[in-house]
Amino acid sequence: MHSRFGRTARGRGRGGPPWAGGGRRSEPPTAADATAWFTGRLPEGWFAGGPAVTVDREEILVVGELPPVDGEFADDAERAAAESGRIARFREETREERIEIARQAEHRYGRKVAWGARLGGTEELFTTLSVPVMTRLHQPERMVLDTLVDAGVARSRSEALAWAVRLVGTHTEDWLGELREALSKVDELRDRGPERG
């Protein structure tokens, strides 16, 4: 679980989650035990093994591996269709219970909960958040985004920036993982530090 993902950013503004007052945003409640809580809270048999739980300051994403689909398939396309169908069935059959579990988790952790399921080579996410992130860019950076828009890679600067972030995340996954691990150690050291009066 990446409980530090995105926690170093400090924003200003009004509105937002209940833990964020007007003016300077405060940290949301800790979600360090979210993986354990969801592992204990989810019904038996939903997933083959424990869920993968990823946390940032706005959202908790819970993704589980579904039991394999039985049967013979003519090719990979048929298998993918069967996997997608099984995920759709899981989504429908568990909807009410997932809503209740999400409500409890949102109260406990002060974040929205999104769900997903994985089966074989197919993974689908349900109702994940799309959170606006404000940034200021100089002309050379804006020109990069405009080039992506003009080339049809993206429909807008916003979409181009999201595409660029996904690209960086894909190509620097190991480094980002090490960075998150280091940040979690900083959290532990800070928590063990001397009390401030």
Side-chain angles (χ1 to χ4, degrees), residues 186-197:
V186 170
D187 271 352
E188 291 170 15
L189 290 172
R190 186 182 302 124
D191 292 342
R192 292 202 320 252
E195 292 186 10
R196 290 171 287 191

Side-chain angles (χ1 to χ4, degrees), residues 13 24 42 54 56-57 62 78 94 97 112 139 142 147 179:
R24 181 175 286 270
L42 294 178
T54 308
D56 70 7
R57 65 180 299 125
V62 182
E78 275 196 10
T94 62
E97 200 159 4
K112 291 294 183 184
Q139 188 182 48
R142 295 192 308 269
T147 299
L179 188 60

Side-chain angles (χ1 to χ4, degrees), residues 46-197:
W46 267 20
F47 299 131
V53 179
T54 308
V55 179
D56 70 7
R57 65 180 299 125
E58 288 90 12
E59 182 178 39
I60 299 174
L61 175 61
V62 182
V63 180
E65 181 80 26
L66 299 181
V69 178
D70 295 327
E72 297 294 323
F73 303 100
D75 55 25
D76 290 343
E78 275 196 10
R79 176 170 295 281
E83 291 169 352
S84 184
R86 175 63 58 84
I87 290 172
R89 187 176 91 187
F90 169 81
R91 183 178 185 179
E92 290 302 317
E93 290 178 350
T94 62
R95 183 182 310 276
E96 293 303 317
E97 200 159 4
R98 284 187 294 106
I99 288 170
E100 176 58 23
I101 293 169
R103 187 191 61 75
Q104 294 170 9
E106 287 167 12
H107 178 75
R108 180 182 177 98
Y109 297 115
R111 295 164 171 85
K112 291 294 183 184
V113 175
W115 299 89
R118 184 182 309 111
L119 180 54
T122 305
E123 179 177 294
E124 295 182 18
L125 305 180
F126 320 145
T127 60
T128 56
L129 287 180
S130 180
V131 179
V133 178
M134 305 305 287
T135 186
R136 295 182 184 277
L137 299 176
H138 295 288
Q139 188 182 48
E141 295 146 349
R142 295 192 308 269
M143 289 175 69
V144 170
L145 299 183
D146 291 341
T147 299
L148 293 172
V149 172
D150 293 343
V153 174
R155 291 174 295 197
S156 64
R157 284 180 171 178
S158 176
E159 191 175 280
L161 186 57
W163 179 86
V165 169
R166 283 193 300 273
L167 188 66
V168 170
T170 299
H171 291 289
T172 60
E173 188 173 345
D174 291 342
W175 178 78
L176 287 171
E178 291 174 15
L179 188 60
R180 291 183 188 116
E181 186 177 339
L183 289 171
S184 70
K185 289 178 182 172
V186 170
D187 271 352
E188 291 170 15
L189 290 172
R190 186 182 302 124
D191 292 342
R192 292 202 320 252
E195 292 186 10
R196 290 171 287 191

